[in-house]
Amino acid sequence: QYLQKAIQHMGTDPAILDHLAEVFYKTDRIREAQAKWKAALEAWNRLPKSEVDEEEVAKVQKKLKEANVKLAQESKEPRP
């Protein structure tokens, strides 16, 4: 809730988008997490190179990949 308010006030800050995605991921809202991590990566792509923390970008890329794998696995599981 607070992170969503922060996004409304700060626009598309990639660090806040990453933190919000983590909250979504930890509460099993994987698709929402995936969307926020994609948005964070897009926000970093719009920043000047001098403002981009490549280590943070790599971490977000890894988290996004994990979310993609989890969603793929869930879609393969039979539904009760």
Side-chain angles (χ1 to χ4, degrees):
Q1 178 182 2
Y2 293 111
L3 286 172
Q4 287 178 328
K5 287 182 182 180
I7 286 176
Q8 290 173 352
H9 293 293
M10 297 187 73
T12 57
D13 183 291
I16 292 176
L17 290 166
D18 175 32
H19 293 309
L20 181 56
E22 288 176 358
V23 171
F24 285 146
Y25 190 82
K26 290 178 182 178
T27 57
D28 287 327
R29 295 164 64 181
I30 309 302
R31 289 197 190 285
E32 291 167 280
Q34 182 186 49
K36 294 302 177 191
W37 279 320
K38 286 180 181 179
L41 292 172
E42 291 169 3
W44 267 308
N45 284 333
R46 288 190 297 272
L47 291 175
K49 273 286 199 202
S50 61
E51 295 182 28
V52 176
D53 183 339
E54 294 298 333
E55 287 183 23
E56 288 301 313
V57 171
K59 288 178 188 176
V60 170
Q61 289 171 330
K62 182 180 178 188
K63 293 175 199 177
L64 179 57
K65 186 181 278 188
E66 290 172 4
N68 291 340
V69 168
K70 188 168 186 171
L71 284 172
Q73 289 172 340
E74 287 177 1
S75 70
K76 291 180 183 178
E77 292 177 3
R79 302 203 185 262

